[in-house]
């Protein structure tokens, strides 16, 4: 069979990004590849993995320090931590740059796959190209919902080194157009090809199932339409929503689109929360669960609680107001201890408090779920003891190498699909049984964490937060938003977007105000609305125009769709 001659760089790239088992199949001849041994599928996995499972560096700095904490799911700031809870709310270029560098630079991975598979590309395949359009859409939705205006229409265009920043409304329209094009290309097709042209297991999102890709695209389209609804100039939103509602969406049959971890490759290529937890020494980098998150789960007897989190270790905690030169070193000692006690009271914790001279002692039995308040300042850190609060569940902290039980990355869940449909019914956009859709969403959300349907139904029957059969429209919308927020655990960028879009949980969106307890940061206590552009963005001459149009390049500037 005639050999194909490829440049050395292309061979190396194929070897670098393909799956290990495929190396054994394709790397048989040192002189070249047969025509039936080459395919764009060997570039696919690499273009998918890093968007949802980046390296340890991004997990720590982009996710945990920023989006996951803004989402209210986790926090840090205890007395043995490296950083106070103000970090992320007080601008620090090093941590913002980590998120910006990762997201701004990631598009190249997706574009490379698109260029290979487009018409006239090296490995032309219309169905793989359709997949690249959907991957591009997932990427740009995360990117723009983090920073606002970003390069879109000129991103990756040959010859344009300084692409313009597009308005969010135009990015949303562009994403929707890309999704529509992808779904049209896929049509009724089921696979990308035969033999070497079937992406198969190289596709870590959908396993090569094109109809699942199409349903994923339509579900993302629904998310975009619902988020744009009510935003200035978003006259396309309702049409987008109606179009999505009239096509298949992720449901109980398709299940959620998730990505299993690769526990073999280097953590500097693809990582997990477990790597951050286990790889740093001592308690310095350990984090705790956020108070609003744990309380909402615990107060409603949510069966996800023991999977999402581990109970607090508990112990006996001594708080001493030390005297130096006849004066107490912390004039706010009592207020801070009272705050710690109020946290336990709010959590309905079992504890005892005793006073012994200048000491206040809190004895806290082990085994209770207690969340740590968000955004605590450096001065209260000595009072915030790590063992008083819940930590992430075992599935979250699974170190690499234990592939069987590690949590999957959420690409887009069938739960969210149902919740968005329920919201559309409540808003009067479509007809249907909102409560039935809500219940299906909860069942699907719990299924992600292997919670039985029986336990899910028990929660639905007994928890007011799961019932939207009665109440005002706003009360129903709040419950739907809270369910979406709960279901987005480990997907901090999306959970943060839900809070900014809906205003729920309201206690989180309200921000903080007491400087004795909280780190007000550069936002003066307000809730963060976006991340600042990275330090390299200013090199683009279009940066100034973006700031002029969108607003100051700070965390307080609201995005186009934010409530």
């Amino acid at each position: 069979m005639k050999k194909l001659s490829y440049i050395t760089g292309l061979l190396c790239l194929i070897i670098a990004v393909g799956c290990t088992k495929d190396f054994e199949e394709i790397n048989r001849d040192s002189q070249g590849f047969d025509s039936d041994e080459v395919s764009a599928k060997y570039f696919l996995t690499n273009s998918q993995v890093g968007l949802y499972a980046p390296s340890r560096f991004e997990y720590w700095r982009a996710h945990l320090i920023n989006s996951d904490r803004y989402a209210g799911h986790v926090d840090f700031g205890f007395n043995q931590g490296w950083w106070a809870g103000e970090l992320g709310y007080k601008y620090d270029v090093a941590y913002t740059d980590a998120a910006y560098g990762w997201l701004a630079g990631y598009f190249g991975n997706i574009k490379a796959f698109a260029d290979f598979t487009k018409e006239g590309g090296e490995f032309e395949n219309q169905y793989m190209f359709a997949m690249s359009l959907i991957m591009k859409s997932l990427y740009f939705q995360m990117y723009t919902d983090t920073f606002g205006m970003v390069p879109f229409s000129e991103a990756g265009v040959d010859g344009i080194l300084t692409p313009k920043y597009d308005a969010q409304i135009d990015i949303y329209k562009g994403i929707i157009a890309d999704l529509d094009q992808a779904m049209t290309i896929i049509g009724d097709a089921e696979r990308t090809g035969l033999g070497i042209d079937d992406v198969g297991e190289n596709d870590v999102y959908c396993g090569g199932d094109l109809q699942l890709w199409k349903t994923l695209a339509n579900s993302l389209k629904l998310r975009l339409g619902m988020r744009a609804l009510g935003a200035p100039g978003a006259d396309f939103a309702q049409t987008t929503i109606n179009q999505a509602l009239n096509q298949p969406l992720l449901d109980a049959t398709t299940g959620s689109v998730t990505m299993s971890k690769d526990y073999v490759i280097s953590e500097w290529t693809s990582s997990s929360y477990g790597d951050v937890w286990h790889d740093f020494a001592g308690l310095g980098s350990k984090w705790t669960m956020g108070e609003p998150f744990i309380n909402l789960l615990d107060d409603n007897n949510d069966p996800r609680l023991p999977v999402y989190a581990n109970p607090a270790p508990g112990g006996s905690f001594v708080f001493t107001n030390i005297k130096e030169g006849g004066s107490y070193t912390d004039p706010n000692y009592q207020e801070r201890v009272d705050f710690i006690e109020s946290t336990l009271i709010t959590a309905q914790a079992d504890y005892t408090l005793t006073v012994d001279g200048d000491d206040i002692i809190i004895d806290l039995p082990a085994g209770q779920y207690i969340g740590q308040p968000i955004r605590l300042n450096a001065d209260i850190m000595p009072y915030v003891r790590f063992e008083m609060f819940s930590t992430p569940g075992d599935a979250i902290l699974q170190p690499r190498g234990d592939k069987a039980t590690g949590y999957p990355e959420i690409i887009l869940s069938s739960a969210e699909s149902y919740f968005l449909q329920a919201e559309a019914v409540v808003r009067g956009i479509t007809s249907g049984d909102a409560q039935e859709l809500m219940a299906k969403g909860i069942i699907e959300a719990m299924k992600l964490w292997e919670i039985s349907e029986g336990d899910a139904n028990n929660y639905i029957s007994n928890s007011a937060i799961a019932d939207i059969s009665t109440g005002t429209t706003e009360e129903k919308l709040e419950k739907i938003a809270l369910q979406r927020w709960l279901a987005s655990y480990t997907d901090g960028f999306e959970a943060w977007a839900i809070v900014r879009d809906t205003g729920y949980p309201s206690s989180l969106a309200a921000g903080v105000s007491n400087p004795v307890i909280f780190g007000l940061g550069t936002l003066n206590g307000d809730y963060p609305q976006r991340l600042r552009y990275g330090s390299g963005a200013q090199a683009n001459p279009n940066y100034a125009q973006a700031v002029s149009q969108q607003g100051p390049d700070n965390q307080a500037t609201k995005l186009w769709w934010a409530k």
Side-chain angles (χ1 to χ4, degrees), residues 10 50 60 89 138 175 196 262 281 318 357 393 426 494 497 530 541 550:
L10 180 59
W60 181 227
Y89 301 94
L138 289 164
I175 294 173
I196 195 70
D262 188 326
V318 180
V426 169
E494 184 58 25
R530 61 182 289 273
Q550 178 168 266

Side-chain angles (χ1 to χ4, degrees), residues 308-368:
Y308 278 2
N310 285 323
S316 184
F317 307 100
V318 180
F319 304 91
T320 303
N321 199 4
I322 301 172
K323 281 185 177 180
E324 289 182 2
S327 299
Y328 288 110
T329 56
D330 183 2
N332 299 302
Y333 165 82
Q334 191 62 52
E335 183 176 354
R336 289 176 173 141
V337 174
D338 288 346
F339 175 79
I340 296 298
E341 183 182 16
S342 71
T343 300
L344 300 179
I345 293 171
T346 301
Q348 302 180 61
D350 175 24
Y351 73 96
T352 58
L353 182 148
T354 56
V355 178
D356 183 8
D358 289 331
D359 293 341
I360 293 178
I361 304 156
I362 293 178
D363 291 300
L364 183 71
Q368 303 181 77

Side-chain angles (χ1 to χ4, degrees), residues 35-354:
S35 60
D36 63 353
E37 294 177 311
V38 291
S39 169
K41 77 175 186 178
Y42 297 116
F43 299 89
L44 176 59
T45 308
N46 186 60
S47 65
Q48 292 179 327
V49 168
L51 186 58
Y52 294 97
S55 77
R56 192 183 75 177
F57 182 80
E58 285 83 18
Y59 257 114
W60 181 227
R61 296 190 172 215
H63 293 66
L64 284 165
I65 288 176
N66 290 303
S67 67
D68 293 338
R69 293 173 59 241
Y70 299 162
H73 288 168
V74 302
D75 201 24
F76 51 74
F78 50 88
N79 64 321
Q80 291 174 280
W82 289 343
W83 296 292
E86 196 170 16
L87 182 63
Y89 301 94
K90 184 175 182 179
Y91 175 66
D92 189 304
V93 63
Y95 302 110
T96 293
D97 275 5
Y100 184 77
W102 162 56
L103 277 173
Y106 193 80
F107 181 55
N109 297 343
I110 297 171
K111 184 181 182 298
F113 181 69
D115 287 344
F116 277 128
T117 58
K118 69 183 180 181
E119 185 177 357
E122 194 79 39
F123 303 107
E124 180 180 338
N125 183 301
Q126 63 175 334
Y127 300 122
M128 293 189 202
F129 179 69
M131 290 164 56
S132 77
L133 289 173
I134 301 168
M135 289 155 51
K136 173 187 173 185
S137 300
L138 289 164
Y139 160 75
F140 270 106
Q141 184 251 308
M142 184 188 297
Y143 187 21
T144 187
D145 285 356
T146 301
F147 297 99
M149 292 180 65
V150 295
F152 176 78
S153 60
E154 295 181 351
V157 176
D158 291 342
I160 299 180
L161 301 180
T162 56
K164 70 176 183 178
Y165 287 69
D166 294 278
Q168 270 204 296
I169 186 173
D170 295 324
I171 296 173
Y172 265 51
K173 289 178 180 178
I175 294 173
I176 291 165
D178 283 341
L179 291 171
D180 284 340
Q181 181 184 355
M183 289 188 283
T184 298
I185 292 171
I186 291 172
D188 295 328
E190 296 181 355
R191 308 297 298 185
T192 55
L194 299 174
I196 195 70
D197 290 322
D198 185 350
V199 295
E201 64 184 17
N202 291 69
D203 171 15
V204 294
Y205 291 178
C206 301
D209 183 343
L210 284 176
Q211 291 306 302
L212 183 56
W213 272 101
K214 187 175 180 181
T215 306
L216 168 63
N218 194 47
S219 301
L220 178 59
K221 182 177 176 178
L222 179 60
R223 173 195 280 177
L224 292 163
M226 293 298 292
R227 185 155 293 159
L229 190 67
D235 53 0
F236 63 90
Q238 185 134 344
T239 298
T240 299
I241 294 166
N242 286 328
Q243 289 174 347
L245 291 172
N246 287 321
Q247 297 295 324
L249 294 159
L250 293 173
D251 59 15
T253 300
T254 64
S256 298
V257 177
T258 62
M259 185 182 75
S260 297
K261 297 287 188 182
D262 188 326
Y263 289 81
V264 177
I265 60 178
S266 167
E267 66 190 273
W268 297 111
T269 301
S270 176
S271 189
S272 70
Y273 287 116
D275 293 325
V276 179
W277 183 271
H278 293 284
D279 288 358
F280 289 95
L283 292 176
S285 65
K286 304 295 187 278
W287 63 96
T288 54
M289 302 300 295
E291 180 183 41
F293 191 54
I294 291 297
N295 285 353
L296 192 63
L297 292 163
D298 200 15
D299 291 348
N300 292 280
N301 297 312
D302 195 310
R304 287 170 291 191
L305 178 58
V307 182
Y308 278 2
N310 285 323
S316 184
F317 307 100
V318 180
F319 304 91
T320 303
N321 199 4
I322 301 172
K323 281 185 177 180
E324 289 182 2
S327 299
Y328 288 110
T329 56
D330 183 2
N332 299 302
Y333 165 82
Q334 191 62 52
E335 183 176 354
R336 289 176 173 141
V337 174
D338 288 346
F339 175 79
I340 296 298
E341 183 182 16
S342 71
T343 300
L344 300 179
I345 293 171
T346 301
Q348 302 180 61
D350 175 24
Y351 73 96
T352 58
L353 182 148
T354 56

